[in-house]
Amino acid sequence: MKIAIINGPNLNLLGIREPSIYGNEGFENYLKELRERYGSVTEIHYFQSNHEGAIIDELHRTGFEYDAIVLNAGAYTHTSLAIADAISAIKAPVIEVHISNVHKREEFRHHSMISRVCKGVIAGFGLDGYRLAVEAAIRLKNQEEE
Ligand code: DQA
């Protein structure tokens, strides 16, 4: 099984960026733990970009080859019809993840352009949200095989 994790803008600064909201841990370190934990079940590919087009290219690249995509589109979540269209165009189910509980924050973070084309949404559980999404992706794959 293959899962792609795609992180959008500013998520390369996890651990440094607004730690009171996003925590103190960098993503690379967290990813290592995730790969150790799920390595026997799934391969986890990771991509991060601050550029909308690069995220769309990665969705196209992984969306016909991977079993599931875990996507934190960062601020593009709230603005990008192009990312929503890319999600509609691909085959793999996309699980939307947010580290923070966006619904507890500013009003402009309450609306997601991508939720309606995603399989599900996880928000507010910190980095653990990515693990929850990986668990959900594994379950989806198992259900598909039953
Ligand atoms: C975020 C929430 C977005 O509103 C914000 O722009 C981000 C991160 C989250 O993970 O909580 O960059 O997606």
Side-chain angles (χ1 to χ4, degrees):
M1 170 173 192
K2 284 163 81 172
I3 296 174
I5 297 178
I6 301 177
N7 270 344
N10 302 306
L11 293 164
N12 53 315
L13 295 182
L14 282 177
I16 301 166
R17 171 194 190 196
E18 301 178 88
S20 59
I21 299 173
Y22 300 112
N24 295 303
E25 194 175 359
F27 199 78
E28 298 293 337
N29 190 55
Y30 176 76
L31 183 64
K32 209 170 142 258
E33 286 170 30
L34 212 55
R35 282 183 172 141
E36 274 164 18
R37 186 160 177 171
Y38 292 98
S40 63
V41 187
T42 180
E43 193 182 302
I44 300 176
H45 165 77
Y46 178 58
F47 177 85
Q48 188 277 330
S49 177
N50 296 321
H51 305 276
E52 190 174 20
I55 294 166
I56 293 167
D57 287 343
E58 188 65 3
L59 285 166
H60 293 176
R61 198 187 70 75
T62 54
F64 296 95
E65 194 197 325
Y66 282 66
D67 297 291
I69 296 171
V70 174
L71 172 65
N72 184 346
Y76 286 138
T77 304
H78 315 298
T79 62
S80 182
L81 175 59
I83 290 178
D85 281 352
I87 295 169
S88 296
I90 61 177
K91 215 175 122 250
V94 176
I95 301 168
E96 177 182 347
V97 168
H98 300 287
I99 296 162
S100 64
N101 180 352
V102 282
H103 299 287
K104 254 189 181 170
R105 300 181 62 194
E106 303 95 322
E107 202 161 331
F108 57 81
R109 294 185 205 276
H110 297 182
H111 181 254
S112 165
M113 294 292 282
I114 66 172
S115 295
R116 59 178 291 275
V117 289
C118 285
K119 184 74 189 172
V121 184
I122 296 167
F125 296 101
L127 286 181
D128 197 41
Y130 291 90
R131 183 191 62 80
L132 295 169
V134 166
E135 286 277 352
I138 293 168
R139 271 169 198 257
L140 282 176
K141 172 79 176 166
N142 289 344
Q143 279 164 8
E144 202 184 277
E145 279 168 7
E146 270 168 24

